[in-house]
């Protein structure tokens, strides 16, 4: 079993009375692409800055390869940070920017030169070596920022909202590019983002943060299919929620309908809960599914890949959404106002405390 | 709004400026080419002798001396001003406007009075001497006033607030992430300052330096009050030509030379700022 | 800026610089209340120097002159400068030459402007006096008012002018009822700035006042007091003069939320 590369142990960060980070513990492995995911104010950026060394934990410790680095200043840590604004040095050329970190290591000139050239080749920038940052496009600047940090071969690379400044198409390309680079270099990446889609695409494992606390961590699949909190269920992807109460082994919804679900041990009979189902798990027609609902079509949105059907139902005050693939939608001509039935499995139902 | 109207609005002011600034200045330019009359008037003969006189070693020497004093003042003011601006920018953001306001405040008071204050401090019965005596120093102290040093102190004192302001602007605009990036890449505090902060804030220093230099070299009041009778800078020289020596053409020629020097410096500064401003776009803090 | 440099060191630098900036001024203030009037010894608190100021006819005369010059030149500068600012900002085509003309009064070394005006007035054989000082002060005052008003105009929403025209108002009415009221704070701020500059101005006044003591201004008076005989009254006078300029400029700053040269 590989021991963790980075251990965050009970870390808290207080600014006067405000706890930006409120007791987080995490292990991050070697050669892993890890995402810290959360809305603004969740503490993810503060945590990242503590890893980089720009903040010191008020409580707790940060261990790298078993050694406590919590108090080591940023210029002495084998960890590098790629800033949200890239923070390229405007008065230096691309090559000089990339060389900077190596100069700080006091390496011989020849070695610096060769490593810089090598790195520029790897991020496809060699033709831009003599340019200044203001002459580069957003995507090019990002690659320079990446190259500048990677050339130092850190144990850990931190990325603060790396794709926020890019347009949609570029973002998609860069997501895959970052994954490729991480894989190629074998360096652990920790990415901070508020974009759950980005996290799902890029990361090997994700940690969900809210209000300074760690809600859940796991692989993208685990997070998506098995959210442990209502917040996570809502934050990741789209989720349909129905209020219900527990009766025996089943759930009873607001309008009296029963449906089946796996009820977690923490919830007892008589409790009020929120049941949840993913839109893609709802199928047209009751079929052989354990659970079903009926509703009126309120709106439909065609997205190419899928058809989103919004139903008004007595089950929930919010409209329920179905995601139908092209195959599933075929043969059923739907219009606004139609009354339809949708079914889903018990095991696709999630249950959270209300 | 019709484009015609603006002309009517601007005319009165432009007429005034033309009549009371442009024409008088052109007059001075012309005056430099005329001859001084025997009794101190102006003889309207075209001559180049005033211009030639400006290049006389005596006067060139005075120009150089003025430039050296102006240069020293500008240098000291730039260093001190930059340090103060850096310190202000390092303070908590909420306090910075107040600190800047306090730094500028003396600049708003009367120039003469500010200069006079140094006479009070530096003269034979002044404060500095009084303090020294109080500390037990009984010997004859060299005169602090009416020296080159006093003039430099006066010039620095008067223009320091402006330098602080000029240096503060680029320092405050500096994106924190850039200095953090430097540290993240392994640079210590001093290296970060030397290789990142300083180069990126040079335009501010340049502006401050040129401002102090230009205002100092043409200055009249400070050398007159703090330098005493023997002290001659260009400003005093021009004053003398017009009010004691009564050689207006020569005074005009000297002023022309002064303007030429100033224009040269300002052009140099614009040139240097444009070269350094290659980095302005990324260096500014984003919202 | 980052929290790298040790804070105590930064505080020390600030303390030293502020001490340097405020020491001379504070000494003057303290001295003006010193019974003995000399910096050598403190002989007790007294306002006698302030009293004697108000008895001194020369000083009252100079102060009055200064006030007249300042008020009149400010009013003229306010009108000319504001009109100029509006005219310049309306124009779609900005001329380099125009810009240089407008900035020139603020950049020309005052001694050059002073001798230029002196030569000009002499050539025209004009008797010099307060009127020539006023005329000269308007030159740089209008440039400053213009600059302050222009700064305010840069953020001005021109569509309110178009709305006024659309509703039927002729140009002058629009100017009077829409543009000018919106610009008022800037005009007042610029005027206060001009007023202060005029009150404190020495060189140009000195050269354009003409012979004799009739049109002596306060700065000229102060200059000759410093040059030809320091009496302790100067300290009291200095204290008053400084306070006046600073207070006026602080008020002006408040009115216009900055926009002054220096902010």
């Amino acid at each position: 079993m590989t021991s963790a590369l980075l251990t965050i142990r009970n870390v808290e960060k207080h600014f006067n009375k405000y706890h930006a980070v409120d007791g987080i513990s995490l292990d991050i492995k070697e050669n892993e692409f890890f995402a810290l995911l959360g809305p603004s104010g969740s503490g993810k950026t503060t945590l990242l800055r503590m890893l980089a060394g720009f903040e010191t934990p008020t409580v707790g410790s940060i261990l790298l390869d078993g050694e406590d680095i919590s108090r080591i200043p940023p210029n002495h840590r084998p960890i590098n940070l790629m800033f949200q604004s890239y923070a390229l040095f405007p008065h230096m050329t691309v090559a000089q920017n990339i060389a900077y970190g190596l100069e700080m290591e006091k390496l011989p000139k020849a070695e610096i030169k060769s490593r810089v050239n090598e790195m520029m080749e790897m991020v496809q920038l060699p033709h831009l070596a003599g340019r200044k940052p203001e002459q580069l496009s957003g995507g090019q600047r990002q690659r320079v920022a990446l190259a500048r940090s990677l050339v130092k071969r850190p144990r850990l690379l931190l990325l603060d909202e790396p794709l926020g400044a890019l347009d949609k198409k570029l973002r998609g390309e860069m997501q895959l590019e970052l994954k490729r680079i991480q894989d190629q270099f074998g360096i652990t990446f920790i990415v901070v983002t508020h974009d759950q889609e980005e996290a799902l695409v890029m990361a090997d494992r994700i940690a969900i943060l809210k209000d300074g606390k760690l809600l859940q961590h796991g692989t993208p699949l685990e997070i998506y299919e098995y959210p442990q909190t209502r917040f996570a269920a809502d934050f990741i992807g789209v989720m349909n929620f129905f209020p219900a109460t527990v009766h025996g082994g089943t759930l009873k919804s607001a309008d009296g309908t029963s449906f089946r679900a796996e009820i977690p041990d923490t919830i007892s009979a008589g409790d009020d809960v929120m049941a949840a189902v993913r839109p893609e798990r709802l199928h047209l027609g009751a079929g052989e599914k354990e659970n079903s609902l009926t509703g009126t079509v309120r709106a439909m949105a065609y997205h190419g890949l899928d058809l989103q059907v919004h139903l008004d139902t007595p089950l929930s005050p919010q409209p329920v959404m179905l995601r139908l693939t092209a195959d599933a939608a075929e043969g059923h001509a739907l219009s606004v106002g139609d009354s339809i039935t949708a079914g889903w499995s018990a095991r696709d139902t999630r249950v959270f405390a209300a | 709004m019709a484009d015609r109207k603006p002309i009517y609005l601007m005319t009165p002011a432009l007429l005034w400026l033309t009549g009371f600034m442009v024409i008088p200045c052109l007059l001075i330019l012309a005056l430099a080419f005329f001859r001084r009359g025997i009794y101190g008037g102006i003889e309207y003969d075209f001559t180049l002798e005033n211009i030639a006189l400006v290049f006389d070693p005596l006067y060139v020497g005075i120009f150089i001396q003025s430039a050296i004093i102006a240069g020293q003042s500008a240098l000291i003011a730039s260093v001190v001003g930059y340090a103060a601006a850096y310190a202000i920018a390092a303070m908590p953001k909420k306090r910075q406007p107040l600190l800047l306001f306090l730094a500028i405040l003396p600049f708003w008071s009367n120039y003469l009075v500010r200069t006079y204050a140094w006479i009070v401090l530096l003269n034979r019965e002044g404060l500095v001497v009084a303090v020294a005596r109080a500390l037990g120093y009984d010997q004859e102290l060299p005169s602090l006033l009416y020296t080159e040093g006093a003039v430099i102190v006066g010039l620095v004192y008067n223009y320091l607030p402006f330098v602080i302001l000029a240096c503060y602007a680029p320092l405050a605009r500096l994106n924190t992430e850039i200095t953090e990036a430097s540290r993240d890449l392994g640079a210590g505090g001093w290296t970060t300052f030397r290789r990142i902060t300083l180069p990126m804030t040079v335009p501010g220093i340049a502006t401050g330096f040129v401002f102090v230099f230009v205002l100092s070299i043409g200055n009249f009041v400070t050398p007159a009050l703090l330098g005493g009778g023997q002290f001659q800078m260009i400003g005093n020289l021009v004053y003398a030509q017009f009010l004691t020596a009564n050689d207006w053409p020569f005074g005009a020629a000297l002023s022309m030379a002064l303007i030429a020097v100033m224009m040269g410096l300002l052009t140099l500064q614009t040139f240097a700022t444009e070269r350094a401003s290659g980095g302005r776009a990324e260096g500014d803090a984003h919202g | 800026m980052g929290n790298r440099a040790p804070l105590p060191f930064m505080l020390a630098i600030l303390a030293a610089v502020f001490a340097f900036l405020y020491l001379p001024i504070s000494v003057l203030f303290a001295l003006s209340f010193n019974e003995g009037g000399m910096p050598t010894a403190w002989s007790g608190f007294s306002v006698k120097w302030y009293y004697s100021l108000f008895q001194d006819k020369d000083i009252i005369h100079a102060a009055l002159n200064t006030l007249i010059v300042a008020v009149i030149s400010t009013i003229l500068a306010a009108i000319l400068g504001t009109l100029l600012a509006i005219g310049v900002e309306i124009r779609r085509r900005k001329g380099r030459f125009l810009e240089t003309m407008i900035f020139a009064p603020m950049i020309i070394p005052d001694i050059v402007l002073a001798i230029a005006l002196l030569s000009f007035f002499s050539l025209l054989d004009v008797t010099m006096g307060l009127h020539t000082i006023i005329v000269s002060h308007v030159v740089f005052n209008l440039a400053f008012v213009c600059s302050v008003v222009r700064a305010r105009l840069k953020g001005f929403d021109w569509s309110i002018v178009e709305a006024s025209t659309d509703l039927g108002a002729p140009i002058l009415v629009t100017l009077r009822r829409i543009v000018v009221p919106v610009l008022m704070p800037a005009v007042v701020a610029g005027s206060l700035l001009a007023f202060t500059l005029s009150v404190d101005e020495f060189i140009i006044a000195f050269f354009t006042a003409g012979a004799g003591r009739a049109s002596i201004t306060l700065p000229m008076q102060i200059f000759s007091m410093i040059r030809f005989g320091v009496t302790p009254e100067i300290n009291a006078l200095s204290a008053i003069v400084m306070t006046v300029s600073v207070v006026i400029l602080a008020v002006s700053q408040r009115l216009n939320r900055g926009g002054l040269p220096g902010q």
Side-chain angles (χ1 to χ4, degrees):
Chain A
M1 161 173 128
T2 37
S3 63
L5 167 68
L6 184 78
T7 304
I8 300 171
R9 210 181 268 164
N10 298 322
V11 163
E12 290 180 36
K13 179 68 183 170
H14 305 173
F15 294 109
N16 292 327
K17 292 236 167 66
Y18 172 60
H19 292 209
V21 173
D22 204 7
I24 293 189
S25 296
L26 265 184
D27 280 339
I28 297 178
K29 308 196 193 79
E30 291 253 21
N31 202 0
E32 170 167 53
F33 199 125
F34 197 92
L36 291 173
L37 175 64
S40 47
S42 55
K44 57 192 194 298
T45 306
T46 313
L47 183 59
L48 196 76
R49 285 174 66 87
M50 283 195 277
L51 297 180
F54 294 109
E55 304 280 358
T56 327
T58 318
V59 174
S61 55
I62 301 173
L63 306 173
L64 184 68
D65 290 324
E67 216 188 293
D68 188 346
I69 58 164
S70 326
R71 314 247 170 266
I72 300 183
N75 45 337
H76 294 314
R77 293 191 192 195
I79 298 178
N80 288 122
L81 172 58
M82 195 181 105
F83 290 81
Q84 187 170 6
S85 70
Y86 310 144
L88 298 182
F89 305 131
H91 56 300
M92 297 186 189
T93 62
V94 165
Q96 287 168 337
N97 262 281
I98 300 177
Y100 189 80
L102 296 178
E103 287 169 24
M104 295 307 132
E105 289 173 30
K106 312 250 195 297
L107 297 173
K109 283 219 162 86
E111 188 181 339
I112 295 183
K113 192 152 182 217
S114 76
R115 274 171 71 167
V116 168
N117 287 332
E118 186 189 353
M119 180 56 68
M120 286 197 289
E121 290 281 349
M122 285 202 240
V123 292
Q124 288 142 17
L125 288 175
H127 54 295
L128 296 174
R131 298 260 184 98
K132 291 254 178 77
E134 57 165 4
Q135 300 168 293
L136 303 176
S137 71
Q140 289 168 334
R141 284 187 206 168
Q142 195 199 42
R143 276 184 277 154
V144 175
L146 204 51
R148 189 174 68 174
S149 305
L150 284 175
V151 79
K152 281 175 68 87
R153 301 183 193 149
R155 294 288 283 136
L156 190 55
L157 182 62
L158 308 170
L159 298 96
D160 189 2
E161 307 269 8
L163 306 180
L166 304 176
D167 63 65
K168 191 149 188 214
K169 181 155 186 287
L170 202 51
R171 215 180 299 166
E173 289 170 13
M174 279 312 293
Q175 282 171 5
L176 298 175
E177 185 69 12
L178 279 178
K179 264 206 91 61
R180 181 188 73 78
I181 291 177
Q182 190 271 325
D183 199 44
Q184 180 180 359
F185 280 85
I187 295 180
T188 304
F189 276 22
I190 302 181
V191 170
V192 152
T193 178
H194 62 277
D195 184 338
Q196 42 93 23
E197 212 180 290
E198 203 165 276
L200 291 175
V201 167
M202 295 196 295
D204 296 327
R205 282 197 305 143
I206 303 174
I208 303 180
L209 269 62
K210 181 174 189 282
D211 295 331
K213 293 194 167 39
L214 175 65
L215 289 186
Q216 179 175 359
H217 65 276
T219 64
L221 183 101
E222 287 165 6
I223 300 268
Y224 186 83
E225 295 293 355
Y226 305 106
Q228 286 161 16
T229 54
R230 184 176 157 185
F231 172 80
D234 196 18
F235 189 68
I236 312 276
V238 181
M239 188 68 104
N240 290 308
F241 289 98
F242 322 117
T245 30
V246 178
H247 281 258
T250 61
L251 299 174
K252 219 178 201 134
S253 67
D255 71 336
T257 327
S258 287
F259 44 98
R260 310 262 294 280
E262 284 162 17
I263 299 173
D265 301 326
T266 47
I267 297 188
S268 359
D271 280 356
D272 285 328
V273 298
M274 263 306 189
V277 187
R278 292 274 181 209
E280 62 270 19
R281 301 285 174 190
L282 289 169
H283 304 274
L284 262 189
E288 287 153 12
K289 308 289 178 186
E290 294 111 322
N291 298 318
S292 68
L293 60 84
T294 319
T296 327
V297 176
R298 165 202 179 91
M300 296 195 295
Y302 177 67
H303 280 251
L305 275 181
D306 56 30
L307 176 69
Q308 292 174 8
V309 181
H310 298 259
L311 297 180
D312 281 326
T313 86
L315 222 55
S316 159
Q318 315 288 4
V320 163
M321 183 169 102
L322 276 78
R323 261 214 177 103
L324 304 175
T325 58
D327 289 340
E330 224 161 40
H332 302 268
L334 291 172
S335 0
V336 175
D338 285 355
S339 176
I340 65 173
T341 313
W344 73 97
S345 317
R347 64 156 205 268
D348 288 335
T349 318
R350 302 276 160 266
V351 182
F352 304 105
Chain B
M1 278 244 190
D3 251 318
R4 277 175 298 130
K5 275 297 169 207
I7 299 289
Y8 301 146
L9 292 173
M10 299 192 297
T11 313
L14 290 179
L15 276 179
W16 197 286
L17 286 178
T18 311
F20 296 112
M21 181 185 72
V22 177
I23 295 185
C25 287
L26 288 175
L27 185 59
I28 287 287
L29 183 59
L31 203 53
F33 295 102
F34 293 136
R35 194 187 294 275
R36 173 180 186 263
I38 311 174
Y39 300 108
I42 302 168
E43 304 259 324
Y44 294 99
D45 296 329
F46 183 85
T47 168
L48 286 174
E49 63 182 39
N50 294 306
I51 313 285
L53 195 54
V54 170
F55 288 100
D56 183 287
L58 172 65
Y59 297 111
V60 171
I62 295 183
F63 259 103
I64 293 181
Q65 188 190 17
S66 308
I68 294 178
I69 292 179
Q72 288 176 293
S73 310
L75 194 60
I76 298 174
S78 299
V79 170
V80 175
Y82 186 82
Y86 189 92
I88 294 181
M91 293 289 137
K93 280 231 153 64
K94 274 182 303 179
R95 304 254 178 269
Q96 287 181 23
L98 178 65
L99 289 171
L100 205 59
F101 176 78
L102 287 176
I104 306 291
L105 208 58
F107 196 58
W108 287 349
S109 61
N110 187 306
Y111 187 92
L112 273 178
V113 165
R114 274 184 287 157
T115 312
Y116 166 63
W118 280 99
I119 297 183
V120 169
L121 288 178
L122 295 178
N123 81 26
R124 275 246 152 70
E125 291 118 43
L127 188 68
V128 171
V129 172
V131 167
R133 297 250 178 274
L135 292 175
Y137 199 80
D138 263 335
Q139 294 154 313
E140 186 69 31
L141 282 164
S143 170
L144 292 168
L145 199 52
Y146 309 133
T147 61
E148 189 174 298
V151 174
I152 293 180
V153 168
L155 290 170
V156 169
Y157 183 71
N158 272 307
Y159 299 125
L160 185 60
F162 183 84
V163 177
I164 296 180
L165 190 67
C167 292
Y168 175 76
L171 277 170
R173 268 207 319 258
L174 192 61
N175 186 353
T176 326
E177 293 194 341
I178 294 202
T179 45
E180 285 181 350
S182 170
R183 294 180 70 215
D184 176 76
L185 291 166
W190 173 248
T191 312
T192 301
F193 176 75
R194 187 172 50 88
R195 292 197 57 176
I196 308 296
T197 312
L198 196 56
M200 286 182 65
T201 52
V202 152
I205 307 178
T207 308
F209 184 91
V210 171
F211 181 85
V212 179
F213 191 99
V214 160
L215 286 176
S216 298
I217 198 171
N219 200 300
F220 156 69
V221 169
T222 305
L225 293 183
L226 294 179
Q230 315 101 310
F231 209 80
Q232 288 282 41
M233 282 176 69
I234 294 296
N236 311 79
L237 207 54
V238 171
Y239 169 95
Q241 300 314 311
F242 271 84
L243 290 168
T244 40
N246 249 313
D247 189 348
W248 290 24
F250 182 52
L254 283 173
S255 312
M256 290 292 105
L258 181 61
I259 300 242
V261 168
M262 279 179 48
M263 298 261 76
L265 279 166
L266 285 170
T267 332
L268 246 151
Q269 187 224 354
T270 324
F271 183 64
T273 317
E274 257 153 45
R275 274 194 58 197
S277 78
R280 291 268 303 275
E282 263 242 30
D284 293 350
H286 301 301
Chain C
M1 259 273 303
N3 49 356
R4 304 178 325 282
L7 215 56
F9 182 55
M10 291 289 112
L11 281 172
I13 293 184
L14 264 188
V17 173
F18 278 134
F20 175 65
L21 284 176
Y22 283 92
L23 185 66
I25 300 178
S26 319
V27 167
L28 265 189
F29 264 96
L31 212 50
S32 68
F33 292 110
N34 184 5
E35 162 94 55
M38 299 303 281
T40 35
W42 175 264
S43 32
F45 185 91
S46 161
V47 290
K48 73 185 207 199
W49 304 115
Y50 287 91
Y51 276 149
S52 79
L53 263 186
F54 291 109
Q55 324 283 42
D56 188 329
K57 273 185 298 191
D58 287 336
I59 290 182
I60 302 290
H61 175 64
L64 234 53
N65 282 345
T66 303
L67 209 58
I68 295 173
V69 167
V71 167
I72 300 182
S73 71
T74 299
I75 294 178
L76 285 172
I79 299 173
L80 292 176
T82 305
L83 291 177
L84 180 63
I86 299 177
V88 168
E89 286 301 312
I90 292 181
R91 269 166 70 94
R92 252 160 287 177
R93 241 179 340 116
K94 307 284 178 177
R96 252 266 172 90
F97 181 68
L98 187 62
E99 294 287 331
T100 318
M101 262 262 271
I102 299 179
F103 276 110
M106 300 192 276
I107 300 189
I108 288 189
D110 31 15
I111 189 147
V112 172
L113 191 56
I115 62 172
L117 286 163
L118 174 61
S119 315
F120 182 67
F121 291 135
S122 304
L123 190 69
L124 294 180
D125 230 346
V126 170
T127 344
M128 296 196 279
L130 283 187
H131 50 285
T132 43
I133 305 182
I134 292 175
V135 163
S136 312
H137 275 196
V138 172
V139 172
F140 60 81
N141 275 342
L142 79 80
F144 280 98
V145 171
C146 177
S147 137
V148 173
V149 174
R150 274 182 81 183
R152 175 70 185 85
L153 277 171
K154 292 226 190 287
F156 187 77
D157 180 8
W158 285 111
S159 54
I160 65 175
V161 169
E162 287 166 2
S164 169
T165 316
D166 176 74
L167 290 166
I171 285 266
L172 279 176
V173 171
T174 302
L175 262 176
R176 185 170 55 87
R177 295 194 57 177
I178 307 293
V179 179
V180 170
V182 172
L183 285 183
M184 249 325 155
V187 174
V188 172
S191 305
L192 289 176
L193 174 62
F195 184 84
T196 316
L197 289 172
S198 180
V199 164
D200 285 340
E201 206 283 325
F202 167 66
I203 291 215
I204 294 180
F206 186 76
F207 276 80
T208 56
R213 300 184 53 83
S215 43
I216 196 167
T217 65
L218 207 52
M220 290 166 67
Q221 178 71 21
I222 295 179
F223 185 77
S224 69
M225 282 168 79
I226 297 176
R227 253 309 190 47
F228 302 118
V230 180
T231 71
E233 282 177 348
I234 290 193
N235 306 321
L237 186 56
S238 305
I240 295 181
V241 166
M242 270 198 298
T243 314
V244 166
S245 5
V246 166
V247 165
I248 295 184
L249 280 175
V251 167
S252 164
Q253 173 84 323
R254 253 309 164 77
L255 265 175
N256 202 33
R257 316 238 123 252
L260 294 182
Q263 279 302 327

